[in-house]
Amino acid sequence: MLDNNGHLFHIDFGYIFGQDPKVKEAMIRITTDMIDGMGGQNSENYRLFLGYAFQAYHILRRNAALLITLLEMMIDANIKDCKPEYLNKMIGRFNLNMTEEEAERAFKNVLEKCIGDMVAGDRKSTRLNSSHDQIS
């Protein structure tokens, strides 16, 4: 998709609703091609990506009640691929029982694991800074 400013973005609704075709489900889908497209793990664009990821997570958490209500309505309307188990999975990923700082640490750990697992042959996690250090 393209936004009004010509920025390319992708929303994988099937993935959001739990339709991951891979045998091993990833918490966050990010590939080496995506990271390479940003200029690599040491690039400014990659640093900005991480900052935006933290910001987006905080925004989603702050709006969790609305998102949960919308998904509940979609389930009640019998919209294809919307199932209660996907709602429960989404609620769990919001970490609503945690403080903002605890949830950010949990999200950071998920990002580090996904990126560390994805980097070819490297099982070491890339260390990320907090959201406050990502975007200037």
Side-chain angles (χ1 to χ4, degrees):
M1 288 193 234
L2 289 174
D3 70 10
N4 292 337
N5 296 318
H7 297 105
L8 180 67
F9 68 98
H10 173 76
I11 301 172
D12 189 341
F13 287 103
Y15 180 75
I16 291 170
F17 293 140
Q19 300 296 316
D20 192 351
K22 294 175 184 60
V23 175
K24 182 182 177 196
E25 179 182 324
M27 288 288 289
I28 297 173
R29 183 175 294 161
I30 186 164
T31 67
T32 53
D33 289 339
M34 292 174 185
I35 292 174
D36 290 346
M38 291 179 237
Q41 287 183 288
N42 297 317
S43 71
E44 176 67 12
N45 287 332
Y46 180 72
R47 188 181 71 75
L48 287 171
F49 158 74
L50 294 175
Y52 291 138
F54 285 118
Q55 280 186 349
Y57 182 66
H58 288 302
I59 291 167
L60 290 169
R61 284 188 81 238
R62 283 193 292 270
N63 293 284
L66 172 64
L67 295 169
I68 291 166
T69 300
L70 290 172
L71 194 51
E72 286 172 337
M73 289 179 3
M74 292 170 74
I75 291 168
D76 291 343
N78 294 317
I79 292 179
K80 183 180 185 274
D81 295 329
C82 290
K83 298 179 181 169
E85 58 265 26
Y86 304 150
L87 173 63
N88 294 332
K89 186 183 286 187
M90 184 184 73
I91 291 170
R93 289 181 177 175
F94 283 142
N95 293 312
L96 297 174
N97 59 330
M98 296 180 182
T99 66
E100 192 157 307
E101 293 78 19
E102 291 169 333
E104 181 172 302
R105 268 193 308 278
F107 181 63
K108 176 182 164 188
N109 290 338
V110 168
L111 268 174
E112 287 177 343
K113 178 167 179 13
C114 290
I115 292 167
D117 286 351
M118 175 269 319
V119 174
D122 182 10
R123 291 296 180 191
K124 296 177 184 173
S125 295
T126 303
R127 288 287 149 215
L128 307 176
N129 296 318
S130 72
S131 63
H132 308 291
D133 298 332
Q134 298 302 322
I135 298 178
S136 309

